[in-house]
Amino acid sequence: MSLNPASIPAPEPAGDGILSVNNIEVIYDHVILVLKGVSLTVPKGGIVALLGANGAGKTTTLKAISNLLHAERGEVTKGSIQFKDDRVDQLSPNELVRRGCIQVMEGRHCFGHLSIEENLLTGAFTRRDGWAAVKRDMEKVYDYFPRLRQRKNSQAGYTSGGEQQMCAIGRAMMSKPSMILLDEPSMGLAPQVVEEIFEIVRELNTKEGVSFLLAEQNTNIALRYATYGYIMETGRIVMDGEAAALRENEDVKEFYLGVGGGDRKSFREVKSYKRRKRWLS
Ligand SMILES: Nc1ncnc2c1ncn2[C@@H]1O[C@H](COP(=O)(O)OP(=O)(O)OP(=O)(O)O)[C@@H](O)[C@H]1O
Ligand SMILES: [Mg+2]
């Protein structure tokens, strides 16, 4: 486990990383500095969690990777992003999808007036391999998400929150991705539905080899399914480590898992203490 304040140079990306974000800075509206030197790596075939409270910068990080910031008047002003050995920070979102990296947006974003099946089909828009292959992959999505098969003719807007989240992930799968950026899949869903969705994410990871970068406020569930985690606060990565180690870390337990006692007042206090210590050593 390491502390990674912005002032310390970013580590070299791991050789087997499918995605590496190197020291990026993001500015909204030309003036609002939101990400301040964020670095992270997702290994090929890994599930990595990006954790942090409301407003920490998780969504901004995912949008920086998938090149969706322009729509929000945001811009990556420093650093670089690499996906499968290529720099991708200047690509269009569609080109990135074609290369195998797709984002599932926060809040599910299905087309409410289309059926579940029509929604899934919209996910195949970057493909050029013909109807038979698309149809085959749709059956595969239905095998992973049996609930979507049952509801395939229902208008998405009238399905449950859990089904809409499944639809959003299923639609992403229709682009045949090697990596999915998944933003707050647990948001607003009942615990057993969240569990069901994370189980399917794990299956997609192990059986289809899809790598995941998972932004979550729900630290507990994310650290049970991810192998590695990064914790963000106010636009910086403040801690990272193996998921098992983070789960056992006293500070993480106290401030993000809601367990443990201790008399510390805030995570920020603990952090600055450790930063000072690191600078002195
Ligand atoms: N389009 C925008 N213009 C200006 N500031 C923005 C914009 N979008 C986000 N921000 C600011 O950037 C910071 C990070 O927001 P972001 O949405 O990335 O956080 P988050 O970690 O995803 O939070 P949440 O858990 O609530 O989704 C916040 O302070 C937010 O107010
Ligand atoms: Mg967010």
Side-chain angles (χ1 to χ4, degrees):
M1 192 179 313
S2 65
L3 286 172
N4 182 21
S7 54
I8 294 170
E12 284 298 310
D16 61 347
I18 187 171
L19 174 79
S20 61
V21 173
N22 310 303
N23 227 345
I24 60 166
E25 181 179 278
V26 167
I27 295 183
Y28 283 115
D29 288 318
H30 301 290
V31 289
I32 310 167
L33 177 62
V34 170
L35 297 191
K36 304 151 189 168
V38 168
S39 297
L40 59 87
T41 303
V42 179
K44 195 161 183 289
I47 301 181
V48 170
L50 184 58
L51 306 165
N54 203 349
K58 306 180 295 298
T59 298
T60 303
T61 305
L62 296 197
K63 285 187 174 168
I65 297 165
S66 51
N67 282 302
L68 291 169
L69 279 178
H70 287 292
E72 311 255 352
R73 299 168 56 83
E75 206 185 343
V76 177
T77 46
K78 275 188 195 154
S80 64
I81 299 167
Q82 232 175 320
F83 178 66
K84 292 182 184 166
D85 303 326
D86 295 316
R87 260 192 87 156
V88 295
D89 33 289
Q90 300 303 326
L91 296 183
S92 70
N94 285 0
E95 179 55 30
L96 197 62
V97 172
R98 224 169 267 133
R99 292 185 188 202
C101 181
I102 188 163
Q103 178 163 353
V104 175
M105 308 268 264
E106 188 173 2
R108 307 190 269 276
H109 289 284
C110 292
F111 298 108
H113 58 291
L114 298 183
S115 69
I116 292 285
E117 183 144 309
E118 287 163 343
N119 266 280
L120 293 181
L121 283 175
T122 63
F125 80 104
T126 53
R127 290 175 57 166
R128 303 279 180 269
D129 53 352
W131 173 244
V134 168
K135 189 84 181 111
R136 208 167 40 239
D137 284 339
M138 194 147 65
E139 286 307 315
K140 202 148 99 179
V141 168
Y142 287 143
D143 289 341
Y144 281 105
F145 297 96
R147 284 220 223 179
L148 295 184
R149 178 176 275 124
Q150 283 166 14
R151 304 285 267 146
K152 65 181 178 188
N153 297 318
S154 308
Q155 210 174 317
Y158 292 110
T159 63
S160 71
E163 287 159 352
Q164 289 184 31
Q165 182 65 70
M166 291 176 189
C167 179
I169 300 171
R171 188 176 61 192
M173 283 303 295
M174 290 300 293
S175 69
K176 286 174 93 69
S178 40
M179 156 131 238
I180 295 182
L181 311 170
L182 192 50
D183 200 354
E184 302 264 7
S186 77
M187 201 209 290
L189 301 179
Q192 70 271 30
V193 180
V194 172
E195 205 74 51
E196 195 179 332
I197 287 171
F198 273 79
E199 284 294 331
I200 297 170
V201 164
R202 177 140 71 194
E203 266 191 76
L204 294 172
N205 174 252
T206 52
K207 295 191 187 155
E208 301 295 322
V210 180
S211 308
F212 283 87
L213 178 60
L214 195 71
E216 262 298 343
Q217 280 197 35
N218 188 336
T219 308
N220 190 12
I221 187 123
L223 287 182
R224 278 202 285 115
Y225 285 88
T227 49
Y228 200 87
Y230 292 85
I231 299 182
M232 290 193 87
E233 255 187 34
T234 53
R236 290 194 166 92
I237 306 285
V238 292
M239 193 185 275
D240 66 289
E242 300 291 333
L246 288 178
R247 274 203 310 267
E248 294 307 314
N249 179 279
E250 290 304 320
D251 303 330
V252 175
K253 273 192 198 169
E254 189 169 344
F255 297 109
Y256 290 98
L257 294 171
V259 290
D263 50 9
R264 286 171 291 238
K265 292 192 196 69
S266 76
F267 193 61
R268 188 182 297 271
E269 218 167 73
V270 175
K271 250 171 37 205
S272 56
Y273 160 69
K274 284 189 178 158
R275 273 194 209 155
R276 271 204 309 280
K277 215 166 80 172
R278 181 164 176 143
W279 287 338
L280 290 173
S281 62

